[in-house]
């Protein structure tokens, strides 16, 4: 079938080269959820600095000489916004829209998107990274955590697909 | 030679700029591959579009082989590459929760940011959800800490667990991936899709 998107195998090789460059230059892989964590830490630190200083989780990232927003992943994700936008502009895909299966309403799509985001955000912290940071990067560096994350994420999504089929097909 | 920043061949001041440039490449490729569409991503789990499988495994294998060959040529010191530590219990349960988030929400964090960049409103709501989910975890951390820290195995590699070389492991991953690609191609013929 004809598609307006890049050949997936070519895209995979290019994505792999981007990841390899991250390893070669910075000695670390890609990530995504870590950048959102930095935003959450920074926001809570502005609203309630005493709370972040005393909390077991936030305190790792704040304090003297530490700035949660001056993180590798934050700058990388700003790059992702720019790169995604450039690609969308290049291929004529810039458009405000709620994308959803025609069999459901836009509101239903948005409610499920929000719920999915909450779960993914929570799980990414418990699992120490998401699909890019733990699964993809971890697999490339042969880490057990990477393979375990990949199998748990994709395995669960397959296992639950039947129950959510009305949202997608 | 590499990694360049940890060995101070390139100054640490450049690291955040490098991150930004690498991010541009990351976002551009994700969007070109179609990862800015939740319907394309979810297609993986219903067989009508297996682009996730193809891109994800091709990328993992490319980077895996790249690291192995760079190391063989003496271009990179693998001891200086960050390997994410394994905490078995929290990795499995965290992965299960993320998998549920994936099929319910239709994105993962990286793809949602990429989709938001081209104006997908569902992706923006998904990102709002991620913020809340991380906030809930951070606030609930005192209750979760024991489980979060359990089963610590350090930066363990799969090749060490099975006592094989990285190259043999990569070969096994490549063979498994090729079989899955074949399955994916068959599934796409069986369940044709429309174009979004």
């Amino acid at each position: 079938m004809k598609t307006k998107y890049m050949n997936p195998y070519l895209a995979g090789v290019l994505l792999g080269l981007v990841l390899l460059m991250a390893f070669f230059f910075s000695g670390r892989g890609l990530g995504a959820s870590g950048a959102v964590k930095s935003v959450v830490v920074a926001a809570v630190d502005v609203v309630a600095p005493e709370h972040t200083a005393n909390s077991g989780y936030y305190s790792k990232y704040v304090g003297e000489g530490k700035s949660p927003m001056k993180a590798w992943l934050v700058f990388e994700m700003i790059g992702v916004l720019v790169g995604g936008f450039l690609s969308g502009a290049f291929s004529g895909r810039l458009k405000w829209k709620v994308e959803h299966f025609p069999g459901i309403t836009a509101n239903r799509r948005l409610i499920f998107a929000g719920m999915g985001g909450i779960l993914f955000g929570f799980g990414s912290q418990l699992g120490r990274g998401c699909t890019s940071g733990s699964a993809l990067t971890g697999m490339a560096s042969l880490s057990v955590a990477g393979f375990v994350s990949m199998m748990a994420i994709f395995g669960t999504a397959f296992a639950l697909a039947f129950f959510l089929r009305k949202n997608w097909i | 030679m590499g990694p360049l920043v940890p060995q101070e061949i390139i100054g640490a001041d450049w690291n955040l700029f490098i991150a930004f440039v690498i991010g541009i490449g990351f976002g551009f490729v994700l969007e070109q591959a179609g990862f800015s569409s939740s319907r394309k991503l979810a297609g993986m789990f219903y067989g009508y579009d297996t682009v996730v499988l193809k891109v994800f495994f091709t990328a993992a294998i490319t980077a895996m082989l790249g690291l192995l060959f760079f190391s063989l040529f003496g271009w990179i010191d693998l001891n200086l590459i960050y390997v994410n530590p394994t905490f078995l219990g929290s990795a499995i349960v965290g992965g299960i929760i993320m998998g549920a988030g994936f099929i319910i929400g239709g994105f993962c964090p990286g793809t949602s940011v990429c989709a938001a960049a081209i104006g997908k409103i569902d992706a923006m709501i998904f990102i709002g959800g991620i913020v809340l989910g991380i906030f809930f975890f951070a606030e609930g951390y005192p209750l979760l800490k024991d489980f979060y820290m359990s089963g610590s195995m350090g930066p363990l590699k799969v090749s060490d667990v099975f006592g094989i070389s990285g190259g043999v492991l990569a070969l096994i991953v490549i063979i498994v991936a090729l079989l899955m690609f074949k399955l994916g191609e068959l599934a796409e013929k069986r369940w044709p899709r429309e174009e979004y």
Side-chain angles (χ1 to χ4, degrees), chain A residues 1-6 8-9 11-28 30-33 36-37 40 44 51 56-58 60 70-72 75-88 90-91 93-102 109-110 112-136 138-148 150 152-154 156-158 160-161 164-165 168-169, chain B residues 1-6 10 15-16 18-20 22-29 31-34 37-40 42 44-46 48 51-52 54-60 62-64 66-67 70 75-76 80-88 90-110 113 117-122 124-126 129-135 137-139 141 144 147-149 156-159 161 166 169 173 181 185 193 195-196:
Chain A
M1 158 153 212
K2 273 206 159 77
T3 173
K4 55 197 176 184
Y5 296 105
M6 187 185 277
Y9 301 111
V13 170
L14 292 177
L15 180 56
L17 292 177
V18 171
L19 174 54
L20 183 60
M21 285 305 106
F23 282 126
F24 182 68
F25 280 96
S26 297
R28 55 155 303 143
L30 304 170
S33 54
V36 185
K37 174 180 71 188
V40 172
V44 176
H51 179 55
Y57 203 63
Y58 300 118
K60 287 181 271 185
K70 236 185 126 186
W72 199 93
F75 282 74
E76 180 233 42
M77 285 317 284
I78 295 169
V80 168
L81 273 174
V82 174
F85 179 84
L86 288 175
S87 166
F90 182 72
S91 298
R93 284 194 283 268
L94 295 181
K95 198 180 166 200
W96 296 107
K97 75 168 169 182
V98 179
E99 187 188 26
H100 61 90
F101 171 61
R109 167 71 191 122
L110 291 178
F112 276 83
M115 289 194 304
I118 291 173
L119 287 168
F120 223 124
F122 188 92
S124 70
Q125 297 313 295
L126 186 59
R128 293 178 171 76
C130 59
T131 334
S132 26
S134 184
L136 178 63
M139 278 177 68
S141 60
L142 311 180
S143 91
V144 173
F147 283 84
V148 169
M150 182 272 293
I153 294 171
F154 288 109
T156 305
F158 270 114
L160 297 179
L164 288 143
R165 65 191 183 284
W168 300 108
I169 55 173
Chain B
M1 193 159 75
L4 301 179
V5 174
I10 292 181
N15 208 18
L16 295 181
I18 291 167
F20 175 66
I22 283 174
I24 292 177
F26 186 22
F28 193 89
V29 175
E31 209 290 320
Q32 281 296 308
S37 161
S38 59
R39 294 184 70 192
K40 243 179 130 55
M44 171 75 227
F45 306 109
Y46 298 98
Y48 63 82
V51 64
V52 170
K54 295 172 190 169
V55 174
F56 184 89
F57 274 90
T58 311
T62 302
M64 192 185 288
L67 283 179
F70 274 29
W75 294 352
I76 199 165
L80 297 174
I81 297 294
Y82 175 77
V83 175
N84 47 341
T86 301
F87 292 76
L88 203 54
S90 52
I92 293 173
V93 176
I96 289 172
I97 296 170
M98 285 189 270
F102 204 162
I103 193 69
I104 292 170
F107 286 114
C108 62
V113 171
I118 65 162
K120 297 275 169 74
I121 295 157
D122 43 330
M124 296 170 197
I125 301 291
F126 186 91
I130 302 174
V131 169
L132 275 180
I134 293 176
F135 179 71
F137 181 87
E139 294 301 328
Y141 186 68
L144 299 158
F147 181 65
Y148 179 71
M149 299 306 291
L156 186 65
K157 292 191 179 185
V158 176
S159 42
V161 173
L169 176 63
V173 174
F181 293 161
E185 302 281 0
R193 71 188 148 93
E195 194 64 27
Y196 343 99

Side-chain angles (χ1 to χ4, degrees), chain B residues 140-192:
Chain B
Y141 186 68
L143 297 171
L144 299 158
K145 190 180 173 192
D146 284 345
F147 181 65
Y148 179 71
M149 299 306 291
S150 67
S152 170
M153 299 158 88
L156 186 65
K157 292 191 179 185
V158 176
S159 42
D160 295 333
V161 173
F162 293 108
I164 54 176
S165 72
V168 171
L169 176 63
L171 179 66
I172 295 170
V173 174
I174 290 171
I175 292 169
V176 172
L178 288 176
L179 291 172
M180 290 194 300
F181 293 161
K182 184 74 198 159
L183 263 178
E185 302 281 0
L186 289 173
E188 285 177 7
K189 284 206 184 90
R190 168 83 175 70
W191 293 285

